[in-house]
Amino acid sequence: MRPLIAGNWKMNGLSADAPEIEALISAFDGAMPEKIDVLICPPATLLGGLAAAYEDEGVQFGGQDCHSAPSGAHTGEVSAEMLADAGAAFVIVGHSERRSDNGETDAIVRAKAEAALRAGLAPIICVGETEAERDAGRAEAVVAGQLEGSLPRTDGDEIVIAYEPVWAIGTGRTPTLDDIADMHAAIRKIVGDRRRILYGGSVKPGNAAEILRLDDVDGALVGGASLKAADFAAIIRAL
Ligand code: 13P
């Protein structure tokens, strides 16, 4: 499986931050590793400009969300087709911040993932339990339920799953390595051998190697540490 290291910039990044991409490429002497997919998901305002400037440099770009419809009267929304037109190859759907901030249900996430496939984008479908659900011993059941409700009904090897425990996002805390391995093995049973499964939640240069070495961890979805080229480069190197 070809590994994928994805950076989710969330609601961060102005045009003045574009040099971070330049610095990332420079960290690899202008030649990004060929055996790894490196993806940056910047805010939609930067996507087109960054993709036009850097997509030939071995960095791919993606959106952080999309609407399920291709176009129409949905003020403020961005469709998967628009992201593809701006140079995206991937789109994150169902991030826990959107599930909680915007009330996105599994059914909405599934519609967005299906829209991504329709537009020729690879959806990165995020799932993950809350701390209370883990404490109650329900983590695997919760994630299985989210997958059941959010996976597109069509096939697609390009579909990527990101396991992001809600309590590990932006907190500096991570599950134990055994817990990550167990969850990824459980997800593998559901999604099969041909789809990549990323781990996300407080991935940093200091813990990336031990996480990325685990069976069934095919890469990482990185938030905070993707904003600084030096940290993101260190995570890519760890892989
Ligand atoms: P952090 O890496 O900042 O914990 O964020 C993870 C995340 O939500 C990526 O989508």
Side-chain angles (χ1 to χ4, degrees):
M1 195 95 71
R2 187 178 164 84
L4 169 63
I5 301 288
N8 174 10
W9 282 13
K10 308 192 178 183
M11 197 172 73
N12 298 290
L14 301 174
S15 46
D17 297 305
E20 287 300 322
I21 310 271
E22 198 85 53
L24 175 68
I25 296 165
S26 303
F28 293 94
D29 292 329
M32 297 302 291
E34 279 177 15
K35 295 189 174 147
I36 301 174
D37 284 335
V38 175
L39 170 69
I40 303 275
C41 299
T45 47
L46 294 184
L47 178 65
L50 292 179
Y54 298 111
E55 68 190 345
D56 295 337
E57 311 273 350
V59 179
Q60 300 181 75
F61 291 91
Q64 298 177 9
D65 176 50
C66 65
H67 195 276
S68 55
S71 62
H74 302 288
T75 302
E77 297 286 342
V78 175
S79 71
E81 282 77 1
M82 291 169 179
L83 295 173
D85 185 51
F90 292 79
V91 59
I92 298 168
V93 293
H95 191 283
S96 70
E97 288 151 15
R98 292 207 59 89
R99 288 178 186 261
S100 64
D101 293 358
N102 301 73
E104 292 191 5
T105 61
D106 289 335
I108 291 172
V109 176
R110 166 181 279 157
K112 291 181 176 208
E114 289 177 347
L117 294 173
R118 178 190 69 217
L121 301 179
I124 301 177
I125 302 171
C126 301
V127 293
E129 81 285 357
T130 64
E131 186 155 35
E133 289 163 342
R134 175 157 288 274
D135 290 346
R138 296 182 48 234
E140 284 188 18
V142 165
V143 166
Q146 289 173 332
L147 286 172
E148 165 86 32
S150 325
L151 277 170
R153 279 159 290 215
T154 46
D155 283 342
D157 292 346
E158 68 271 54
I159 295 167
V160 179
I161 309 302
Y163 167 55
E164 298 205 308
V166 177
W167 54 274
I169 294 176
T171 60
R173 297 162 59 211
T174 56
T176 65
L177 295 176
D178 281 348
D179 284 345
I180 296 174
D182 287 350
M183 182 63 84
H184 279 241
I187 296 172
R188 175 72 67 213
K189 279 204 192 111
I190 296 169
V191 304
D193 283 339
R194 302 192 18 212
R195 291 170 175 170
R196 291 182 283 196
I197 307 172
L198 312 182
Y199 170 77
S202 295
V203 175
K204 310 275 179 226
N207 63 15
E210 61 188 16
I211 294 172
L212 291 166
R213 185 184 297 132
L214 296 171
D215 283 350
D216 293 318
V217 174
D218 305 309
L221 181 54
V222 184
S226 72
L227 295 171
K228 285 275 157 265
D231 286 349
F232 198 52
I235 291 167
I236 296 166
R237 276 206 198 87
L239 184 74

